[in-house]
Amino acid sequence: MNNEKQIVQMRKVCKRFGKIKALDKIYLEICAGRIIGLLGANGAGKSTLLRHIIGLYLEDEGQCVTFGCKAGKLGPEELGRIGYVHQEGELLDWMTVRQLIRYVSAYYPNWNRELEEKYVEDYEISMKARVGSLSPGQRQRLAILLAIGFEPELLILDEPAAALDPVARAQFLDLLLQIIQAENRTIIISSHILSDVEKVIDHAVIMKEGHILLDCSFDELRERFCQVRISALGKELPAELPFENILHCKRSDGQAILTVQDCPRERLKEQAKSLDCWIEIETLPLEEIYKIVVS
Amino acid sequence: MSILTANLKHLYQRRGLWLVYVFLGFIVFVSIAGTLDKTPKRGECAILMMSMFFIGFLIATLPIDILAKPFAYCLPGHRKVPRKFIFSTGVAINLLASLIFLLYPVLYLYWPHRIAVICSAFFAGMTLYWLGVGSAFIFRNLTLWIPLLWFSIFGGRIFDLHIITERVIVEEPAVVILVGALSSLAAWFWLDNDGLARRYCARAWVGFLDIWNKNKLQKYKQARAATKPDKDKFKCHLKPSVESFFLDRMNKCDYYGPARHIWGRLYTSFGILLSKWLPALSVALVIVCVSAYFPPIGFFIFIMAGSMMAGGNIRSVYSSMLITVGRNERFITALTLAATSVVLITIPVIIIAALSVLLETIMPDIRLWGKTFTFEAINMRPFFVALLLIIPVISTFQLIFYRKPILGLVFFMFMFQLLFVSVIFWRKPLLTVIANPISIAGLIVLSWVLFLLVLRYVCMRRCLVGQG
């Protein structure tokens, strides 16, 4: 990762809220062009980490640098390269959708009107409606539009699909896949809906209680954890299976289902062959991997 | 622990009520202080009883808050808890409050009469308490009643409502007791209503103490918006000419310079006010009349409006809507905004004062309840001085207590009470300070310097959203 262009660098970042340690010695490097899934339970420190990147929070210790500038000192030029969809959903309620878009777009020299129109049409956002009268889902769509309208280099999505219904969520994922096509665009997406996230990310960061438990590419993550189904061919399975790093084992009638960590697939196949067993190796869904990592 | 005891715990667990206790303490202080001069029929004893309307209003919001949650008070034995809670609290508070009439100066001769008056005070309090409880159950957005609270405090004093109430309590105890007993009986049966839990279940509702609860206000607005016809949803409050004016100014500035952000912030802060100039002018005219006929009310309305405007604007420092505004830009725009608020509030003050001078010769006297109110030209100086002082002070409070506004208000009220006590005990030295232009100028400069330092600290060092 170090050879690539780093746009965010967090070194030993600590943050406390009273007695609660929200971030504890966080080291994180985010390279351009990555789609990063930031995963963790409520209170794991995901939003706190994201807010440090854009300078809304200031670190107690350590340093957070975004686009080569200390996050707390980010100016209009750097912020003009960052799009942010936040949990609070704060918008100017008294404006109409059209007025709000015009107001926000006035801050960005590279606002893309075509993208705006396409998005408004796809998402059926009423331009005449007052922002305050929008439903939570519509508000979220508008917030997403405002964050992507200027085609930011770094797009930070903090629980973007939380308020969307299944159809809108699917549309949002399609849109995200379109956005991803742009080269060198970096997206950090924090979400609880892991089934959605795994469709788009290429890098995963898993957090728990202010710590980063895991920071690796998604492919690597999928390689590391797998589910193995072993069936005995003719005879009984041995009482003790000779595989390494078994996290979980479930046996029934000459069959075993194992969850295995850090064991190369070729080796698994060889071992199964030596046992005269039929083996089927499956990649674990992100949700299962996440459960294993945090537990 | 009984269900009722668990519910009574809300009286100290709900932090918003702490503000009410400070306020109540102030009223008790005023009432007792008023009786000390032994002059009968001044009305101070009745102030506490009159406040029972708002006490009832507030107390009722606690069970309503629970009723509005799904399946609340549906378990066996829970159904009658709201009634028990409201009744027991009302009776206890009114019993204590009615004891203030022991201090009533002319009642020391006849004990039976004294007891009758205390009973009368108790039932007068209960009647007003039930009015408050009923209002809380009827209306969906109780924050709209806040102006009424201020009016009752100042209007009540101007129109001598407290004196009238006290006279009725003392002179007509039988009638007051009868009305109080009947209203209590009616309330007892009404609160026993089986459908109470059903009717209030999941009801979109904003309580008196929810004024700072952003999430609840948002949910309430959305629930209201869903029931409104389309024409209301699409009603635009911002005039196109105002929008064009500000956007044109923004677009003429450098994208990354502070000027664009300053115009943007002025747009979001004053766009609506400038779009609604006609209603604003009408309000200004009403304020002229109120200020000229009833100077303390007008003064207070103006100071409140100015404070709310300045306080509301400064909260934009904590906006989580990410545009290209960095911490430095937040500082510059907030400072500009505070200065602009002074200018924008000063202009109407000057217009209002000038209008009052013009109208002084033609406006007639008003007679209300035997009192004559004369239209007097407004002296601009106290308004201006108060605003110059109040705007930085309120803004500083808003910045410091952004996440705990209730604490800010409690602190502010405490300071106000301290000032009130100081006026009683150190009237002369205080008047010397107020009358001295140098000391006033010093206070103004001090308040602005303090505001500047706090604003700088918040913008540069503090977390700008969430819990930090």
Side-chain angles (χ1 to χ4, degrees):
Chain A
M1 201 184 241
N2 285 334
N3 297 334
E4 299 168 60
K5 186 189 164 194
Q6 288 174 2
I7 54 170
V8 178
Q9 290 168 300
M10 295 180 98
R11 295 198 194 287
K12 212 183 171 184
V13 171
C14 296
K15 183 72 190 174
R16 274 183 171 279
F17 294 120
K19 288 178 182 173
I20 300 161
K21 221 169 192 178
L23 293 182
D24 191 10
K25 290 175 189 160
I26 295 288
Y27 287 87
L28 182 68
E29 286 170 353
I30 295 172
C31 297
R34 285 276 156 90
I35 316 295
I36 296 157
L38 190 58
L39 318 171
N42 284 334
K46 304 186 299 293
S47 297
T48 307
L49 189 144
L50 295 177
R51 286 166 182 172
H52 273 87
I53 293 174
I54 47 177
L56 287 176
Y57 281 177
L58 295 177
E59 59 277 8
D60 295 336
E61 282 174 47
Q63 196 180 47
C64 179
V65 176
T66 309
F67 289 122
C69 178
K70 276 185 84 174
K73 291 184 176 169
L74 288 173
E77 207 166 340
E78 292 83 21
L79 288 169
R81 297 158 73 186
I82 306 172
Y84 174 52
V85 177
H86 49 92
Q87 284 178 332
E88 285 88 2
E90 189 184 325
L91 298 169
L92 299 167
D93 287 350
W94 47 273
M95 283 187 180
T96 63
V97 172
R98 187 188 303 279
Q99 285 164 347
L100 183 64
I101 293 173
R102 271 204 293 253
Y103 165 67
V104 172
S105 66
Y107 284 101
Y108 300 97
N110 48 344
W111 186 268
N112 187 336
R113 293 280 166 210
E114 279 177 27
L115 181 72
E116 173 199 314
E117 282 163 18
K118 182 183 177 304
Y119 191 85
V120 164
E121 199 178 313
D122 288 353
Y123 271 60
E124 295 168 355
I125 298 173
S126 169
M127 297 289 266
K128 287 180 185 170
R130 217 161 2 98
V131 176
S133 71
L134 298 178
S135 69
Q138 286 170 324
R139 280 178 80 88
Q140 194 70 342
R141 290 173 201 191
L142 180 59
I144 293 166
L145 165 61
L146 297 175
I148 63 166
F150 55 99
E151 298 182 300
E153 283 175 52
L154 171 62
L155 179 59
I156 296 174
L157 304 164
D158 191 0
E159 299 288 350
L164 302 183
D165 57 60
V167 177
R169 233 170 61 215
Q171 281 176 331
F172 169 67
L173 282 172
D174 286 344
L175 180 92
L176 208 56
L177 288 167
Q178 286 170 34
I179 297 169
I180 290 165
Q181 305 305 317
E183 271 182 32
N184 273 335
R185 174 162 301 149
T186 312
I187 300 174
I188 309 174
I189 176 165
S190 116
S191 179
H192 286 119
I193 309 165
L194 303 183
S195 55
D196 285 353
V197 174
E198 75 178 326
K199 290 174 191 162
V200 289
I201 63 171
D202 59 20
H203 198 94
V205 175
I206 298 180
M207 292 188 74
K208 188 183 179 185
E209 291 166 3
H211 295 273
I212 291 182
L213 295 180
L214 192 138
D215 173 12
C216 66
S217 80
F218 191 42
D219 288 339
E220 193 185 319
L221 191 66
R222 284 155 72 102
E223 277 296 314
R224 281 181 65 186
F225 299 94
C226 59
Q227 196 175 62
V228 180
R229 186 188 294 268
I230 298 170
S231 309
L233 293 170
K235 57 181 179 181
E236 284 288 304
L237 278 176
E240 280 215 10
L241 293 166
F243 302 106
E244 293 160 13
N245 300 333
I246 297 174
L247 299 171
H248 184 251
C249 177
K250 195 176 160 190
R251 297 175 73 117
S252 65
D253 297 340
Q255 209 181 53
I257 299 170
L258 314 174
T259 307
V260 182
Q261 180 187 352
D262 293 330
C263 196
R265 295 180 182 216
E266 289 308 314
R267 195 160 164 193
L268 285 169
K269 282 177 186 170
E270 280 170 20
Q271 284 172 325
K273 205 174 174 183
S274 67
L275 288 172
D276 195 20
C277 294
W278 178 77
I279 186 166
E280 190 183 353
I281 303 171
E282 278 176 21
T283 308
L284 278 176
L286 182 59
E287 202 165 325
E288 293 303 317
I289 297 174
Y290 170 76
K291 278 181 199 166
I292 293 166
V293 173
V294 295
S295 64
Chain B
M1 187 190 293
S2 74
I3 306 159
L4 180 63
T5 317
N7 277 270
L8 285 170
K9 277 188 168 187
H10 288 294
L11 293 173
Y12 69 84
Q13 284 173 334
R14 189 77 192 258
R15 287 187 186 176
L17 282 178
W18 298 2
L19 174 71
V20 180
Y21 299 146
V22 176
F23 182 65
L24 210 57
F26 181 61
I27 291 176
V28 171
F29 174 79
V30 171
S31 303
I32 293 174
T35 56
L36 293 180
D37 67 356
K38 301 289 175 197
T39 315
K41 296 183 181 177
R42 289 278 305 276
E44 271 76 9
C45 287
I47 293 175
L48 195 57
M49 307 321 296
M50 283 173 72
S51 62
M52 286 306 145
F53 175 80
F54 284 97
I55 302 291
F57 203 74
L58 287 162
I59 294 296
T61 58
L62 300 175
I64 296 174
D65 213 11
I66 302 166
L67 278 169
K69 290 178 175 63
F71 305 113
Y73 295 132
C74 290
L75 292 170
H78 283 232
R79 196 171 51 83
K80 293 186 193 308
V81 168
R83 181 174 73 175
K84 282 183 190 170
F85 174 79
I86 293 171
F87 248 90
S88 52
T89 315
V91 168
I93 292 174
N94 276 293
L95 268 177
L96 283 173
S98 57
L99 294 179
I100 195 96
F101 272 81
L102 284 171
L103 297 171
Y104 191 72
V106 292
L107 289 175
Y108 56 87
L109 284 178
Y110 310 109
W111 267 104
H113 187 207
R114 176 171 288 203
I115 290 165
V117 168
I118 290 168
C119 288
S120 170
F122 170 77
F123 280 106
M126 286 303 280
T127 309
L128 290 165
Y129 180 81
W130 292 127
L131 275 175
V133 169
S135 308
F137 270 95
I138 290 166
F139 295 99
R140 278 171 181 264
N141 186 355
L142 304 188
T143 54
L144 299 176
W145 282 68
I146 290 173
L148 189 72
L149 171 71
W150 296 116
F151 174 77
S152 67
I153 293 169
F154 286 90
R157 276 204 88 82
I158 284 185
F159 298 118
D160 293 339
L161 288 180
H162 56 307
I163 296 176
I164 296 165
T165 310
E166 191 177 272
R167 197 180 295 160
V168 171
I169 290 172
V170 174
E171 291 173 7
E172 304 289 344
V175 178
V176 175
I177 289 170
L178 184 70
V179 172
L182 285 175
S183 61
S184 299
L185 204 67
W188 178 264
F189 284 112
W190 187 76
L191 288 170
D192 192 32
N193 191 333
D194 282 346
L196 210 60
R198 181 174 45 78
R199 276 190 286 126
Y200 289 90
C201 177
R203 189 190 203 201
W205 181 83
V206 179
F208 205 58
L209 304 171
D210 293 322
I211 191 160
W212 297 287
N213 190 338
K214 272 187 181 177
N215 289 338
K216 202 166 177 183
L217 284 172
Q218 186 70 39
K219 275 185 186 169
Y220 173 77
K221 276 184 196 167
Q222 277 165 357
R224 291 279 295 166
T227 59
K228 279 185 177 175
D230 276 356
K231 70 177 171 67
D232 286 337
K233 285 182 193 171
F234 296 114
K235 196 175 171 186
C236 177
H237 296 300
L238 186 68
K239 282 208 163 165
S241 54
V242 174
E243 187 196 7
S244 308
F245 171 80
F246 283 106
L247 287 182
D248 288 348
R249 297 292 163 299
M250 282 176 79
N251 289 329
K252 278 176 188 164
C253 305
D254 177 26
Y255 269 106
Y256 304 126
R260 183 174 283 257
H261 297 101
I262 289 171
W263 278 113
R265 190 58 85 201
L266 291 174
Y267 171 34
T268 54
S269 300
F270 301 113
I272 272 286
L273 191 73
L274 294 175
S275 296
K276 305 248 173 196
W277 66 271
L278 200 61
L281 190 71
S282 315
V283 171
L285 278 173
V286 172
I287 293 175
V288 173
C289 293
V290 174
S291 307
Y293 278 117
F294 319 106
I297 295 186
F299 182 75
F300 190 78
I301 291 174
F302 214 90
I303 296 301
M304 279 297 289
S307 312
M308 281 164 72
M309 187 170 141
N313 284 342
I314 207 71
R315 290 164 74 90
S316 60
V317 165
Y318 291 102
S319 170
S320 65
M321 202 178 92
L322 193 75
I323 37 179
T324 59
V325 184
R327 284 179 175 264
N328 204 31
E329 287 73 30
R330 282 182 198 245
F331 172 68
I332 295 167
T333 52
L335 200 60
T336 315
L337 208 61
T340 314
S341 297
V342 173
V343 175
L344 280 180
I345 297 169
T346 308
I347 293 168
V349 169
I350 294 170
I351 295 171
I352 284 172
L355 265 174
S356 71
V357 173
L358 288 175
L359 292 171
E360 193 180 15
T361 50
I362 53 169
M363 293 301 277
D365 289 352
I366 296 176
R367 281 188 68 80
L368 279 172
W369 288 296
K371 277 192 155 192
T372 306
F373 298 96
T374 310
F375 191 97
E376 288 169 14
I378 297 164
N379 179 10
M380 212 186 83
R381 191 167 161 262
F383 279 88
F384 191 60
V385 168
L387 278 173
L388 274 178
L389 255 174
I390 288 279
I391 286 177
V393 170
I394 292 284
S395 301
T396 309
F397 268 89
Q398 288 281 355
L399 287 170
I400 296 172
F401 295 106
Y402 169 68
R403 283 173 194 93
K404 302 229 185 291
I406 198 89
L407 278 182
L409 204 55
V410 168
F411 188 65
F412 190 71
M413 285 183 75
F414 175 72
M415 296 290 283
F416 189 72
Q417 291 182 21
L418 204 68
L419 189 72
F420 189 83
V421 174
S422 308
V423 168
I424 292 174
F425 293 106
W426 301 290
R427 196 182 177 90
K428 258 192 176 173
L430 267 173
L431 277 174
T432 320
V433 172
I434 292 167
N436 187 351
I438 296 168
S439 58
I440 283 289
L443 274 175
I444 291 170
V445 170
L446 191 72
S447 61
W448 278 94
V449 168
L450 183 71
F451 165 63
L452 197 74
L453 290 173
V454 172
L455 180 67
R456 182 83 190 160
Y457 172 77
V458 167
C459 289
M460 296 301 167
R461 306 289 296 275
R462 211 171 166 186
C463 295
L464 294 176
V465 292
Q467 58 197 322

